[in-house]
């Protein structure tokens, strides 16, 4: 892991004043702490990616194929013909600058090439040179340039300094989404074997073993067993989850991070406790044991190959519908891509809550429901016995994940849940939540150790908004519905806002959930003592837990 | 440098037309041939661009959702920022095209003490709106040259536009707004640090063209008078496809016409095509219904996957040991 930069020095190094030299005349620097190691030959080979070899981004020689320019240009040509988004977004940008200061990487680095508009220009300049008449004739005057090794290294540097969060596209008058540029850019880099290992490793793991972490079936079972033991210690209740069980009503799919390390494991315990209390007829799968999809950060084809397991497993097990856990990019893909890639899922039924009878018509075709929709519906119908005072030691704010925010619009469901399970809820400033939410800084496969400075810089904008509510209201818990958030925001908070911990919403649900036959709880899921009754009354005069049935989605104080 | 070359290019265009008309008397070329060529380049080019975009598939359903989704019956969806049907998409697009709604959300990010703050920053939006709308109204006003008898709507617009009744002839409000807005759009590119960093010659060229067009137009109306009857005769000739050379209009008119021709000819090959492209943007013109209705990718192809059978072959013994059911013992 790279050495953590000193906070004050990092902050002082950020300047939004652009350097004198034009970006096109400034070669990219590949700086320790700001990049991830290159994909290894063995990881590339597992899934048959081209130009598999071990290489080091710091080396002069990247061991590229002789005709790499041709491969890249032809690859770009192919994608221009396949994606209207790419062709259109390369054509119509007017460089108005509205997106410039909307990117968390720009906010955290001040590097002009992290302005979304310039990230687009990195590719646009090549597009002009090889695909447009003005670019061919007028060259640099028309904003065009030759594709040389320096440009390639610049692409690699900056397409792996974008987390595909889509915040730029909210403010663009034409909806230009630089995630589309980055996605295409990474696909092209992958034609030359230029992925990063932090993405390629999980991709090959997921392909062979079913999940990014490479957990084999027996490990998945034993990891869940550990959690079951912890739940028994906490509640006195023994839970017996099933794996790969045919004939279950529901297949549950969640990112494998939830099975592996805290705080994700606490979220996972939350799922287990909730499902047990409901008596849900569901099963885990060890084959489709990954909701997330690092293939999406590699190429569209790779994403489709990994995603195929979810429907395949649902069909093999004969379940009726699929329930998905808390995850960000997983849900963008389930919502906007899965049905197109691997559907139609005619063998499944429209999801219907066996507890409330609610039919999830919004998943009529895809047949997969988000657990936050499922739980919000349970709470609305009063099907859960909740004791929000068990979360009174927490002052909670909610981080909207980029993908569920800007690729779905899941805003009020988690807020409805939170306001019913805890009594101290505070919103961060409006410019930093919902559709304007900031990325954790480590999305799209950049949550490695060696690029720690990049992650901390990218995480500044989100962390700073947390700091605001931490300073103002004493917020000490950052709730979210994303596995990468749970891991990366923990790192970010430790650095930027010590004293704030991070949890999945379903961890807090399980804290509040009064289970049938449970013993008196002494601690929360993390083993922290629960607040004594007298503490509970003095915690806050500003309790915002709303009574059932009240209008959901009212803004809390900011 | 990035601004200077486009500026010189526009100056060159002005000198070219002055020399051509005044010195060489090439009225037919600048009064007839160039406008026709420009109109043809514009039409063909624009159609080519739009058809090219239109024929490129939209393989995935990728709207940017900027409001609450339609999910549970008791949660109020935001039907415009996150449309679930065609009606919402139409409203979203109209707001985008007519009012630049996304741009209106623009905020300026600044570090203030310990906190990042997001300040109100309406100026780009305001200048963008002022420029586009005044330009449109000015174009509509110019329709008086395209009809034998001026349409009533155009006359009313002229009346409203000059309602301040300042000077003789009365000042058009849109003329002022247009020039001020374009000047602002130019100034921000040469003064704001971030704008300096991202601007290209291709950003300045159309601004100088527009300034040239606006200035020559204003001069014609308020300063160097031209033969308006002659202008109308020329334009009517062009429009009715019976072009004729009209003498004695005044050189400044040819400057105006030539710069407009340049703008039209340049339009389809430049960033100005955003005018058509915005309608085709897949992050804005799709409804957020991808879990309700399956979106089909026309170029989808089968991919190599790692099947469950292969997986079980790899892990059968371990699965059995862990008590996980298997297909084949």
């Amino acid at each position: 892991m790279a050495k953590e930069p000193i906070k004050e020095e990092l902050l002082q190094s950020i300047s939004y004043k652009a350097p004198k030299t034009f970006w096109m005349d400034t070669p990219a620097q590949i700086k320790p702490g700001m990049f991830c190691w290159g994909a290894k030959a063995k990881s590339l080979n597992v899934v048959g990616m081209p130009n598999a070899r071990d290489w080091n981004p710091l080396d002069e020689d990247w061991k590229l194929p002789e005709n790499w320019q041709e491969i890249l240009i032809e690859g770009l040509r192919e994608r221009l013909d396949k994606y209207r988004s790419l062709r259109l977004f390369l054509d119509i940008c007017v460089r108005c600058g509205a997106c410039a200061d909307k990117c968390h990487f720009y906010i955290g680095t001040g590097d002009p090439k992290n302005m979304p508009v310039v990230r687009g220009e990195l590719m646009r300049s090549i597009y002009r040179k090889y695909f447009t008449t003005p670019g061919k004739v007028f060259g640099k005057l028309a904003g065009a340039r030759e594709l040389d090794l320096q440009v390639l290294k610049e692409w690699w540097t900056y397409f792996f300094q974008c987390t595909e969060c889509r915040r730029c596209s909210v403010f663009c008058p034409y909806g230009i989404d630089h995630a589309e540029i980055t996605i295409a850019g990474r696909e092209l880099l992958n034609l030359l074997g230029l992925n990063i290992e932090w993405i390629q490793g999980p991709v090959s793991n997921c392909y062979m073993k079913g999940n990014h972490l490479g957990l084999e079936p027996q490990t998945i079972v034993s990891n869940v067993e550990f959690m079951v033991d912890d739940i028994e210690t906490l509640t006195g209740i023994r839970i017996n989850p099933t794996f790969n069980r045919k004939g279950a009503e529901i297949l549950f799919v969640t990112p494998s991070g939830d099975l592996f390390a805290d705080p994700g494991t606490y979220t996972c315990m939350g799922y287990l406790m909730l499902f047990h209390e409901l008596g849900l007829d569901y099963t885990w799968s060890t084959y489709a044991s990954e909701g997330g999809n690092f293939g999406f950060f590699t190429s569209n084809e790779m994403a489709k190959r990994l995603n195929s397991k979810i429907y395949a497993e649902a069909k093999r097990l004969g379940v009726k519908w699929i329930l998905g856990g808390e995850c960000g990019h997983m849900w963008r893909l389930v919502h906007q891509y899965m049905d197109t890639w691997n559907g139609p899922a005619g063998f499944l039924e429209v999801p219907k809550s066996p507890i409330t009878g609610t039919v999830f018509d919004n998943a009529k075709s895809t047949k997969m429901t988000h657990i936050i929709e499922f739980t919000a519906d349970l709470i609305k119908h009063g099907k859960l016995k909740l004791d929000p005072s068990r979360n009174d030691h927490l002052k909670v704010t909610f981080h909207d994940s980029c993908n569920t925010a800007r690729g779905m619009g899941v805003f009020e469901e988690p807020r409805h849940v939170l306001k019913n399970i805890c009594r101290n809820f505070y919103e961060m400033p409006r410019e930093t939540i919902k559709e304007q939410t900031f990325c954790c800084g480590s999305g799209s496969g950049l949550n490695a150790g060696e690029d720690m400075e990049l992650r901390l810089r990218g995480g500044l904008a989100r962390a700073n908004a947390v700091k605001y509510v931490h300073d103002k209201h004493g917020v000490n818990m950052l709730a979210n519905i994303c596995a990468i958030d749970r891991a990366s925001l923990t790192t970010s908070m430790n650095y930027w806002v010590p004293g704030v911990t991070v949890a999945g919403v379903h961890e807090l649900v399980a804290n509040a959930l009064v289970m049938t036959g449970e013993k008196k709880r002494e601690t929360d899921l993390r083993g922290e003592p629960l607040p004594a009754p007298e503490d509970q009354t003095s915690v806050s005069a500003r309790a915002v837990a709303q009574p059932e049935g009240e209008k959901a989605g009212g803004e809390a104080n900011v | 440098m990035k601004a200077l070359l486009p500026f010189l290019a526009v100056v060159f265009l002005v000198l070219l037309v002055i020399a051509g008309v005044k010195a060489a008397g090439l009225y037919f070329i600048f009064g007839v041939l160039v406008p026709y060529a420009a109109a043809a380049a514009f039409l063909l080019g624009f159609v080519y661009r739009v058809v090219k975009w239109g024929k490129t598939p939209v393989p995935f359903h990728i709207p940017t959702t900027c409001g609450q989704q339609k999910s549970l019956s008791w949660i109020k969806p935001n039907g415009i920022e996150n449309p679930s049907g065609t009606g919402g998409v139409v409203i979203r697009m109209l707001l985008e095209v007519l009012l630049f709604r996304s741009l209106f959300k623009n905020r300026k990010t600044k570090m203030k003490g310990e906190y990042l703050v997001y300040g109100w920053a309406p100026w780009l939006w305001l200048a963008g709106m002022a420029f586009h709308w005044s330009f449109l109204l000015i174009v509509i006003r110019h329709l008086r040259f395209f009809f034998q008898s001026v349409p009533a709507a155009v006359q009313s617009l002229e009346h409203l536009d000059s309602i301040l009744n300042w000077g003789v002839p009365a000042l058009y409000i849109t003329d002022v707004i247009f020039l001020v807005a374009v000047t602002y759009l130019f100034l921000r590119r040469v003064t704001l640090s971030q704008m300096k960093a991202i601007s290209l010659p291709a950003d300045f060229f159309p601004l100088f063209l527009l300034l040239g067009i606006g200035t020559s137009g204003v001069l014609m109306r308020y300063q160097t008078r031209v033969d308006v009857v002659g202008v109308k005769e020329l334009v009517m000739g062009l429009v009715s496809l019976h072009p004729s050379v009209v003498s004695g209009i005044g050189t400044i008119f040819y400057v105006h016409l030539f710069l407009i021709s340049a703008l039209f000819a340049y339009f389809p090959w430049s960033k100005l095509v955003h005018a058509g492209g915005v309608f085709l943007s897949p992050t804005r013109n799709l409804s957020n219904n991808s879990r309700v209705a399956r979106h089909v990718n026309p170029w989808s192809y089968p991919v190599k996957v790692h099947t469950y059978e292969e997986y079980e072959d790899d892990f059968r013994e371990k699965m059995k040991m862990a008590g996980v059911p298997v297909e084949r013992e």
Side-chain angles (χ1 to χ4, degrees):
Chain A
M1 186 178 289
K3 209 166 113 272
E4 272 190 6
I6 296 163
K7 203 176 357 178
E8 288 68 29
E9 285 179 8
L10 196 161
L11 278 173
Q12 270 163 17
S13 73
I14 302 169
S15 162
Y16 300 137
K17 206 168 152 40
K20 285 250 180 304
T21 43
F22 187 45
W23 65 263
M24 234 189 242
D25 305 321
T26 317
Q29 275 186 299
I30 298 174
K31 275 193 296 204
M34 297 291 282
F35 73 93
C36 295
W37 295 119
K40 292 181 182 137
K42 68 172 169 50
S43 308
L44 289 164
N45 275 328
V46 169
V47 285
M49 298 296 281
N51 200 28
R53 81 268 173 245
D54 288 329
W55 63 291
N56 184 342
L58 290 175
D59 287 348
E60 195 53 40
D61 179 15
W62 281 8
K63 303 179 190 170
L64 299 168
E66 197 74 3
N67 61 337
W68 68 267
Q69 275 124 322
E70 194 189 322
I71 295 174
L72 220 58
I73 296 302
E74 286 315 304
L76 180 55
R77 188 188 312 280
E78 185 191 333
R79 281 153 189 82
L80 286 168
D81 290 337
K82 277 181 163 178
Y83 295 90
R84 182 185 299 169
S85 55
L86 184 64
R87 182 180 286 281
L88 191 78
F89 295 162
L90 290 177
D91 276 335
I92 66 174
C93 175
V94 300
R95 288 166 297 282
C96 74
C99 62
D101 58 356
K102 306 302 179 287
C103 170
H104 52 284
F105 281 121
Y106 178 70
I107 293 173
T109 62
D111 183 343
K113 288 181 194 174
N114 275 325
M115 295 179 193
V117 46
V118 179
R119 207 187 313 280
E121 290 291 319
L122 301 183
M123 186 180 286
R124 207 171 276 124
S125 54
I126 300 302
Y127 166 68
R128 289 192 192 105
K129 180 75 199 173
Y130 296 90
F131 297 95
T132 73
T133 313
K136 284 176 194 166
V137 176
F138 294 106
K140 202 172 170 186
L141 205 55
R145 60 174 177 168
E146 297 275 347
L147 176 61
D148 58 21
L149 199 59
Q150 216 164 68
V151 171
L152 182 72
K153 294 194 173 187
E154 186 181 54
W155 275 27
W156 188 81
T157 307
Y158 290 99
F159 292 144
F160 289 104
Q161 283 190 30
C162 164
T163 47
E164 306 177 4
C165 82
R166 310 179 96 205
R167 191 169 191 267
C168 49
S169 83
V170 169
F171 298 91
C172 176
Y174 321 123
I176 295 175
D177 176 9
H178 289 88
E180 292 293 303
I181 310 268
T182 295
I183 289 166
R186 290 189 183 185
E187 276 205 32
L188 293 170
L189 291 167
N190 266 284
L191 297 177
L192 306 175
L194 294 177
N195 206 347
I196 59 174
E197 178 60 18
W198 192 259
I199 292 174
Q200 196 60 49
V203 163
S204 58
N205 275 339
C206 194
Y207 190 70
M208 295 306 292
K209 300 185 177 178
N211 57 77
H212 291 155
L213 295 164
L215 306 175
E216 298 188 352
Q218 73 283 3
T219 314
I220 293 176
V221 173
S222 65
N223 282 12
V224 171
E225 286 297 317
F226 274 123
M227 295 183 222
V228 167
D229 290 344
D230 284 350
I231 292 169
E232 189 172 14
T233 310
L234 181 76
T235 63
I237 295 172
R238 186 73 193 176
I239 292 175
N240 291 305
T242 60
F243 299 86
N244 299 13
R245 176 166 62 90
K246 285 191 174 177
E249 182 182 354
I250 298 163
L251 169 66
F252 180 63
V253 179
T254 199
S256 62
D258 286 353
L259 296 168
F260 183 68
D262 62 26
T265 45
Y266 302 123
T267 310
C268 196
M269 286 163 67
Y271 306 145
L272 289 163
M273 291 162 71
L274 175 69
F275 299 159
H276 174 85
E277 180 60 20
L278 296 172
L280 208 63
D281 178 17
Y282 82 106
T283 184
W284 297 79
S285 166
T286 61
Y287 171 66
S289 48
E290 182 59 67
N293 192 330
F294 274 33
F296 192 66
F297 312 135
T298 301
S299 70
N300 166 66
E301 182 178 304
M302 200 63 241
K304 180 176 171 178
R305 290 170 71 185
L306 298 184
N307 175 268
S308 68
K309 294 181 187 187
I310 297 179
Y311 276 153
E313 185 70 339
K315 193 171 189 179
R316 184 182 75 87
L317 296 176
V319 300
K320 286 184 179 161
W321 57 280
I322 310 168
L323 183 62
E326 297 181 6
C327 182
H329 73 276
M330 157 184 169
W331 267 101
R332 167 130 195 252
L333 303 191
V334 167
H335 186 73
Q336 297 194 328
Y337 289 80
M338 182 164 80
D339 209 353
T340 302
W341 278 331
N342 294 307
F347 51 90
L348 294 171
E349 294 173 15
V350 178
K352 179 181 173 183
S353 171
I355 317 300
T356 64
T358 297
V359 178
F360 295 94
D361 279 324
N362 66 327
K364 198 156 55 180
S365 177
T366 301
K367 318 284 201 304
M368 185 154 172
T369 291
H370 195 300
I371 191 166
I372 205 74
E373 298 168 338
F374 179 75
T375 303
D377 173 66
L378 290 171
I379 292 176
K380 181 71 182 174
H381 285 86
K383 298 292 184 189
L384 299 182
K385 197 170 172 213
L386 298 167
D387 178 3
S389 75
R390 288 188 197 164
N391 282 319
D392 273 355
H393 55 312
L394 304 176
K395 294 191 176 183
V396 182
T397 191
F398 181 69
H399 161 72
D400 293 276
S401 301
C402 318
N403 285 292
T404 52
R406 290 181 281 263
M408 285 180 90
V410 177
F411 298 140
E412 301 308 338
E413 296 88 343
R415 285 172 172 80
H416 182 77
V417 172
L418 281 170
K419 287 169 185 176
N420 281 284
I421 57 173
C422 61
R423 299 198 288 188
N424 310 297
F425 179 73
Y426 302 91
E427 290 280 17
M428 286 181 275
R430 182 63 184 92
E431 295 84 2
T432 70
I433 58 167
K434 298 188 176 173
E435 81 284 1
Q436 300 187 47
T437 189
F438 277 109
C439 175
C440 60
S442 308
S444 81
L446 302 184
N447 52 330
E450 63 269 20
D451 62 340
M452 190 50 77
E453 182 178 339
L454 176 71
R455 290 177 51 193
L456 293 171
R457 286 179 180 276
L460 169 65
R462 166 43 73 224
N464 196 267
V466 178
K467 179 177 159 53
Y468 179 78
V469 282
H470 174 69
D471 293 349
K472 193 166 179 200
H473 305 292
V475 161
N476 58 10
M477 175 55 80
L478 180 55
N480 61 75
I481 48 171
C482 170
I484 288 179
D485 278 331
R486 286 191 275 279
S488 67
L489 285 174
T490 302
T491 308
S492 173
M493 289 303 116
N494 287 341
Y495 183 80
W496 289 114
V497 204
V500 175
T501 47
V502 180
V505 168
H506 278 79
E507 176 188 342
L508 306 184
V509 168
N511 270 347
L513 182 68
V514 180
M515 297 172 72
T516 315
E518 71 176 10
K519 69 178 190 191
K520 187 175 180 311
R521 293 207 203 165
E522 309 288 339
T523 69
D524 64 11
L525 264 61
R526 300 186 179 202
E528 302 285 334
L530 288 178
E534 60 269 24
D535 288 347
Q536 290 175 18
T537 49
S538 66
V539 158
S540 172
R542 171 83 188 74
V544 295
Q546 292 181 338
E548 190 45 44
E550 209 178 300
K551 177 179 166 288
E555 292 280 331
N557 58 325
V558 171
Chain B
M1 239 350 230
K2 286 189 288 181
L4 187 64
L5 282 173
F7 177 73
L8 293 177
V10 173
V11 170
F12 171 75
L13 292 179
V14 173
L15 294 177
L16 184 73
V17 61
I18 292 176
V21 174
K22 212 164 185 174
L26 302 171
Y27 292 100
F28 184 71
I29 290 183
F30 287 99
V32 178
L33 276 188
V34 167
Y36 274 143
F42 174 76
L43 281 175
L44 291 175
F46 199 71
V47 168
Y48 170 80
R49 295 303 285 264
V50 172
V51 168
K52 187 109 184 167
W53 291 325
K55 280 168 72 174
T56 310
V58 180
F60 302 107
H61 201 85
I62 54 166
T64 311
T65 57
C66 297
Q68 170 62 38
Q69 67 165 352
K70 185 171 186 290
S71 59
L72 298 160
S73 59
W74 46 273
I75 294 178
K76 191 172 172 290
N78 185 334
I80 295 169
E81 296 278 26
N82 191 347
S84 55
T86 312
V89 170
V90 170
I91 297 173
R92 191 183 199 196
M93 288 304 297
L94 284 176
L95 290 171
E96 205 66 275
V97 172
L98 300 178
L99 297 175
F100 306 173
R101 186 180 171 91
S102 293
L103 196 55
F104 184 66
K105 295 176 187 164
N106 189 23
R107 295 287 180 277
K108 188 168 170 46
T109 310
K110 264 191 306 201
M111 196 60 148
K112 200 173 160 192
E114 290 182 283
Y115 299 115
L116 283 163
V117 293
Y118 308 94
W120 199 56
W123 305 114
L124 173 61
W125 173 81
L126 198 65
M129 286 284 286
F131 159 64
H132 284 88
W133 278 104
S134 61
F135 196 18
L136 177 65
L137 294 179
I138 290 169
V139 168
I140 294 174
R141 273 207 279 102
H142 278 66
L143 289 179
R144 73 153 34 250
F145 295 104
F146 291 72
F147 293 95
Q148 210 56 261
S149 57
V150 181
V154 174
Q155 284 183 340
S156 318
L157 177 64
E158 283 172 346
H159 175 70
L160 271 175
D161 203 355
S162 56
I163 204 153
L164 293 177
N165 216 2
W166 284 353
V168 181
L171 178 78
Y172 283 134
I173 302 165
T174 49
D175 285 356
V176 177
I177 295 177
F178 176 89
L179 286 175
V180 169
V182 177
T183 305
Y184 172 81
L185 292 174
F186 164 71
L187 286 177
R188 65 190 290 275
R189 286 198 185 272
V190 291
T191 55
L192 304 179
S193 168
Q194 288 169 352
M195 293 309 296
K196 279 197 278 190
I198 66 175
S199 295
L200 296 176
D203 298 316
F204 291 104
F205 184 63
L207 285 175
F208 289 132
L209 272 183
L210 289 166
L211 280 174
I213 291 165
T215 310
S216 54
V218 162
L219 283 176
M220 248 190 294
R221 178 170 167 83
Y222 306 102
Q223 192 71 37
T224 320
R225 306 301 298 273
V226 293
D227 173 14
V228 181
V229 178
V231 170
K232 180 138 184 176
E233 200 184 324
L234 178 78
V235 176
M236 288 302 300
L238 288 171
V239 174
S240 61
L241 298 181
H242 294 291
S244 58
V245 175
V246 184
S247 57
I249 294 178
T251 309
I252 185 107
F253 167 76
Y254 286 96
V255 172
H256 192 63
L257 183 63
F258 188 55
L259 293 182
I260 291 168
S261 300
L263 184 72
F264 268 66
Y266 178 71
F267 199 102
W269 320 105
S270 70
K271 68 172 192 175
L272 304 180
V273 288
H274 67 268
V278 60
F279 293 95
L280 290 164
S281 182
T283 59
R284 290 289 185 275
N285 71 6
L286 292 170
S287 65
N288 180 27
N289 68 346
S290 44
R291 264 192 295 161
V292 177
R294 180 164 184 260
H295 180 91
V296 176
N297 172 4
W299 50 260
S300 181
Y301 54 91
V303 294
K304 190 173 182 303
V305 299
H306 191 65
T307 63
Y308 174 79
E309 289 69 30
E310 291 169 302
Y311 170 84
E312 191 181 298
D313 286 346
D314 291 343
F315 295 108
R316 185 169 293 107
E317 290 314 309
K318 289 171 173 170
M319 290 168 81
K320 279 157 71 176
M321 294 268 283
V324 177
V326 290
E327 295 274 349
R328 290 194 296 124
E329 283 299 324

